[in-house]
Amino acid sequence: MQNFTYHNPVKLVFGKGSIKQLADLIPSGTKIMMTYGGGSIKTNGVYDQVKNALRNHTVIEFGGIEANPLYETLMKAVELGKKENAGFLLSVGGGSVLDGTKFIAAAMRFEKGDPWEILASGAEVKSAVPIGCVLTLSATGSEMNGFSVVSRKTPTEKRAFASPHVYPQFSILDPETTCSLPKRQVINGIIDPFVHVTEQYLTFDLNTPLQDRQAEGILLTLIDQGPKALQSPKDYDIRANLMWCATQALNGLIGCGVAHDWATHYIGHELTALYGIDHAQSLAVVLPGVLRHQKARKLQKLAQYGRRVWNISGLSDSDTADQAIARTESFFRSLGVATTLTEYNIPEESGRLVADRISGRGEMLGEHQAIGKKEIREILDLCYRNELAHP
Ligand code: NZQ
Ligand code: ZN
């Protein structure tokens, strides 16, 4: 096992009716800037629950944070927050609102020029306004981590940053809030955590049997509960199990001491920036391509995954790995998500464009840092066609 430090400061408040606890979680006397998205919280009752819980607090609002939150929008919130002297940011929504809020929190305290540099060149975040979160879409794990992904319209970019200062102080997870999600977002909430786990599990063996079993536990739960959530969209227990899976998939725990990949995410972010497909949609396309391309390097873990997660038996490691990748892809397709770039009408030049953008920043991807310009093009070539979509 590799050396690691695990520190997670987020207080998680989970369960039905938990939004009521907001008033006790934020000190009264602090001016709160509540951030939210395009309006889902106003139609599903979450906005009213939050306002009611905070009726004795001073709350200003910034709405309109879009999916894949835009720097251009977030800078308007930075301006408002500074003008109003907000002392606490409360994110009410999905991963995009929370990631946007993390950026706002850091940008409000950023003193050295344009806060975009936090994303573009890794400028240091020295402090941030404290953040709390009411999560309404479980997928990203942002509620219990220090990561944030922000997009920019001009020039077209989608970049991430991490800082210990942007962990939420608390996150309220009431699975009932997710019952108003449209089907596409329910599917996204199965795929994204699934791929967060594979990025930390399908690498190479470092003798980490506990982390492997934890990762397999999350994958098996998603495979079991995901389709049930689609069949029974109002079932509270299924939503609760999915929500907890998503948090566990990217709160740092299963990533302790293991090798990390993240090639699928880096490539997927470029596809979202260039072609606007949802984050999880990009992952469902790219993961099978990465696994096929990197099969030799990942063989031992792929075979373990095939045997333990997909119950494949009696085959060689190589055949088990092939089957495991095919089973993964058909699981994604069975949920109702496409797994090829062709299905999104993405032009054949995407491989070249994405490879140029990533290698132009000097980045090498994967757990061996062995995926460069040539390999990214080869991977994306694999993502146009496959046996399952085009038998
Ligand atoms: O904007 P509103 O009106 O709220 O609608 C949202 C949005 O249109 C809607 N929605 C959210 N909760 C709802 C709801 N609709 C009905 N009922 C509810 N309860 O869902 C749509 C998508 O929301 P969004 O927040 O964009 O989705 P998600 O949570 O999947 O977040 C995606 C973003 O997170 C980033 C992605 O790259 C993407 O930008 N990620 C963040 C990570 C992190 N911070 O650790 C890691 C991930 O890998 C990922 O990169
Ligand atoms: Zn993700």
Side-chain angles (χ1 to χ4, degrees), residues 15-286:
K16 215 177 262 193
S18 47
I19 294 175
K20 285 197 196 86
Q21 295 187 40
L22 259 181
D24 300 327
L25 290 163
I26 309 176
S28 56
T30 312
K31 193 183 226 182
I32 302 167
M33 181 162 81
M34 169 181 168
T35 50
Y36 58 93
S40 69
I41 62 163
K42 295 215 169 145
T43 48
N44 64 10
V46 172
Y47 177 88
D48 290 339
Q49 287 187 58
V50 170
K51 290 294 277 207
N52 190 36
L54 294 177
R55 60 192 175 278
N56 295 322
H57 285 69
T58 308
V59 184
I60 59 163
E61 295 178 19
F62 183 89
I65 297 177
E66 48 287 277
N68 305 307
L70 285 175
Y71 160 81
E72 287 88 346
T73 306
L74 303 174
M75 287 308 289
K76 291 181 189 152
V78 171
E79 204 179 304
L80 179 69
K82 279 181 164 173
K83 189 173 116 222
E84 295 281 341
N85 208 11
F88 195 92
L89 303 183
L90 180 66
S91 162
V92 185
S96 291
V97 175
L98 180 51
D99 282 11
T101 305
K102 290 176 175 178
F103 178 76
I104 297 164
M108 278 175 67
R109 297 263 176 93
F110 191 74
E111 284 164 0
K112 275 198 185 156
D114 185 349
W116 177 252
E117 290 308 315
I118 296 168
L119 295 143
S121 60
E124 192 191 352
V125 173
K126 293 200 173 126
S127 77
V129 178
I131 300 168
C133 158
V134 175
L135 193 72
T136 65
L137 192 179
S138 63
T140 64
S142 187
E143 66 275 12
M144 206 173 181
N145 70 41
F147 303 122
S148 162
V149 189
V150 172
S151 298
R152 184 170 185 157
K153 221 191 298 186
T154 4
T156 306
E157 294 275 6
K158 181 167 184 176
R159 306 294 293 273
F161 80 98
S163 164
H165 298 292
V166 299
Y167 278 88
Q169 289 194 344
F170 64 81
S171 285
I172 295 184
L173 275 59
D174 179 345
E176 249 179 358
T177 65
T178 69
C179 286
S180 58
L181 285 170
K183 188 175 173 201
R184 171 169 140 198
Q185 300 301 341
V186 179
I187 298 169
N188 288 347
I190 303 162
I191 305 275
D192 195 18
F194 195 100
V195 181
H196 292 160
V197 175
T198 62
E199 300 272 27
Q200 301 167 87
Y201 167 64
L202 292 178
T203 55
F204 54 89
D205 187 36
L206 279 167
N207 196 2
T208 53
L210 173 61
Q211 293 92 319
D212 287 2
R213 292 293 187 187
Q214 288 171 320
E216 290 152 8
I218 298 171
L219 295 175
L220 286 162
T221 309
L222 290 167
I223 292 165
D224 176 56
Q225 300 282 296
K228 290 180 183 163
L230 296 173
Q231 279 150 23
S232 312
K234 303 290 171 207
D235 188 311
Y236 174 86
D237 288 319
I238 296 169
R239 289 309 170 101
N241 289 322
L242 284 181
M243 204 167 202
W244 193 223
C245 279
T247 303
Q248 292 289 322
L250 198 52
N251 70 355
L253 195 61
I254 64 164
C256 290
V258 302
H260 286 233
D261 180 345
W262 301 107
T264 299
H265 269 71
Y266 274 92
I267 297 171
H269 284 174
E270 297 303 325
L271 292 172
T272 299
L274 289 170
Y275 306 108
I277 59 174
D278 291 350
H279 172 60
Q281 292 175 336
S282 77
L283 304 177
V285 168
V286 178

